[in-house]
């Protein structure tokens, strides 16, 4: 039998109905699904006839675990026609897809990537605040900061300092030191910050604060996915909270 | 009768099956749909029972046209229960959603935003090259450059210079001067550039080049949507094209 195809599929930000039609079709046709632990159970359930295998966390698998996932994908494609690797958000943005794509190429296994809604777009929809705005924001930077001593702060901080709107993924546990580092490097302390947890889910929550307040008070890290969204586009929500939320969808929101 | 709700819905990058399940459900339920001219006919056709109204281009409506769209959305919500404003890509990223959200808020009309797949994610899936990569890229900047005299080049150029991977939207007509501006400001001339046209569509096409070649030879502007993707993650495809494409999906691709 010819080898199957591995589909690297974006599961989107959380809400099962923010999956794409193509992803839903592939899940329904899948023989086996390897999914990140944080993918919504309602999304995984769309793979009605597939064997389901939970692998790793949404983000930050260790490289040994990644090598093991790579091997399992190759082995599965030797046995099955439709193999789905289901990743939170979008595979190509903080999804570590390249390691899997390269491993499949080396093994001669066909591979196709299906994009997904990344969390920053879902959080923007929840807030009712656009990442770009005429006359205010024409550049948007997504980054994963690390402020620990093991890595260079310049890896992430320069584009975040220079961009109009920044969205920081996987940064909740370091929020206080990230805010302090940005201020130390010249970002105005009054720069507005929107903190969004559980984007797209029923328990989505947000708060609007400033870099200064975040650097002083920190942020209680949660198990939920959190985004730090930084820039002038959040100033109106900071200064005139009574006019916020704009959108009915935000009636689900409460301060974190 | 109570006013209806306006849904600002992302149509995704082009391929109709890269729409979200939620967007498809809303289109099926819509009484009236105001869609960008560049949205795929197959996507618009999902709104089976709706009146369809083409408004503006995908990007760059004039502000007078925008004010007219705002008014039509408000008027439609006074008469209909489900009003869909269907925008190419994602509403919150270069979609000018804020102007519509604010106009609806002023009019007291309920509004909800449904995210869509933005073109950069679809183009990355087409290329089989991740925007982020361990040890190489942990920041990604999306920007709309303008190099004409009417606007400040610093609006967009600084984050693009500093980020690991940059994706420039709506930039095909200025590609040559953008590349020259980036080199003049210190970006290495050998920096790889992936040019992707018609991301996600059957006639998707790409070429991999360098900033220097782009600044010398320019790029024949097409009517199709084009992304300029800049950064070290494209170096392997530039230097070892025989190993590229990685993914079967790329068998659809040909050099532009």
């Amino acid at each position: 039998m010819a080898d199957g195809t591995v589909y690297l599929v974006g599961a989107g930000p959380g809400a099962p109905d923010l999956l794409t039609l193509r992803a839903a079709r592939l899940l329904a046709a899948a023989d086996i699904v390897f999914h990140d632990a944080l993918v919504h159970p309602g999304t995984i359930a769309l793979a009605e006839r597939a064997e389901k295998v939970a692998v790793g966390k949404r983000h930050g698998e260790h490289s040994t675990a990644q090598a093991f996932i790579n091997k399992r994908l190759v082995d599965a494609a030797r046995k099955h026609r439709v193999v789905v690797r289901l990743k939170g958000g979008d595979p190509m943005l903080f999804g570590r897809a390249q390691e899997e794509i390269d491993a499949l190429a080396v093994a001669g296994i066909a591979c196709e990537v299906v994009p997904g809604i990344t969390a920053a777009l879902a959080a923007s929809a929840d807030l009712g605040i656009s990442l770009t705005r005429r006359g205010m924001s024409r550049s948007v930077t997504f980054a994963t900061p690390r402020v620990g001593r093991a890595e260079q702060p310049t890896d992430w901080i320069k584009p975040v300092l220079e961009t109009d709107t920044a969205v920081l993924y996987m940064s909740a546990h370091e929020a206080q030191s990230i805010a302090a580092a940005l201020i130390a490097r010249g970002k105005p302390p009054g720069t507005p910050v929107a903190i969004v947890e559980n984007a797209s889910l029923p328990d989505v929550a947000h708060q609007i604060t400033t870099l200064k307040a975040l650097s002083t008070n920190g942020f209680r890290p949660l198990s939920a996915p959190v985004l730090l969204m930084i820039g002038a586009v959040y100033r109106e929500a900071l200064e005139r909270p009574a006019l916020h939320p704009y959108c009915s969808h935000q009636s689900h929101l409460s301060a974190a």
Side-chain angles (χ1 to χ4, degrees), chain A residues 115-141:
Chain A
I117 303 286
T118 190
L121 303 184
S124 299
D126 289 334
L127 289 171
I129 301 174
S130 181
L131 292 162
T132 54
R133 190 162 177 174
R134 199 153 57 108
M136 186 183 290
S137 170
R138 65 186 314 139
S139 60
V140 181
T141 298

Side-chain angles (χ1 to χ4, degrees), chain A residues 138-206:
Chain A
R138 65 186 314 139
S139 60
V140 181
T141 298
F142 299 158
T144 51
R146 289 294 178 273
V147 289
R149 55 190 151 72
E151 299 197 47
Q152 311 263 335
T154 49
D155 285 352
W156 63 275
I157 204 167
K158 282 185 181 178
V160 170
L161 288 169
E162 298 291 355
T163 195
D164 292 326
T165 307
V167 182
L168 307 184
Y169 283 64
M170 295 171 275
S171 52
H173 288 265
E174 299 186 300
Q176 188 165 4
S177 48
I178 288 167
L182 288 169
I183 292 171
R185 292 288 294 277
K187 201 82 170 171
T191 304
V193 182
I195 304 172
V196 180
E197 305 166 35
N198 283 316
S200 87
L201 294 173
D203 54 347
V204 60
H206 84 289

Side-chain angles (χ1 to χ4, degrees), chain A residues 19-46:
Chain A
L19 196 70
T20 64
L21 300 171
R22 186 183 300 174
R25 177 175 54 77
L26 284 167
L27 284 173
D31 300 304
I32 186 166
V33 175
F34 297 91
H35 62 86
D36 289 352
L38 284 184
V39 173
H40 194 287
T43 306
I44 297 165
L46 294 174

Side-chain angles (χ1 to χ4, degrees), chain A residues 77-88:
Chain A
R78 306 277 190 226
K79 287 197 297 191
H80 300 288
R81 196 175 61 83
V82 179
V83 179
V84 169
R85 173 72 175 101
L86 188 62
K87 291 169 169 287

Side-chain angles (χ1 to χ4, degrees), chain A residues 83-98:
Chain A
V83 179
V84 169
R85 173 72 175 101
L86 188 62
K87 291 169 169 287
D90 178 79
M92 301 310 229
L93 192 63
F94 310 124
R96 301 195 56 174
Q98 201 67 57

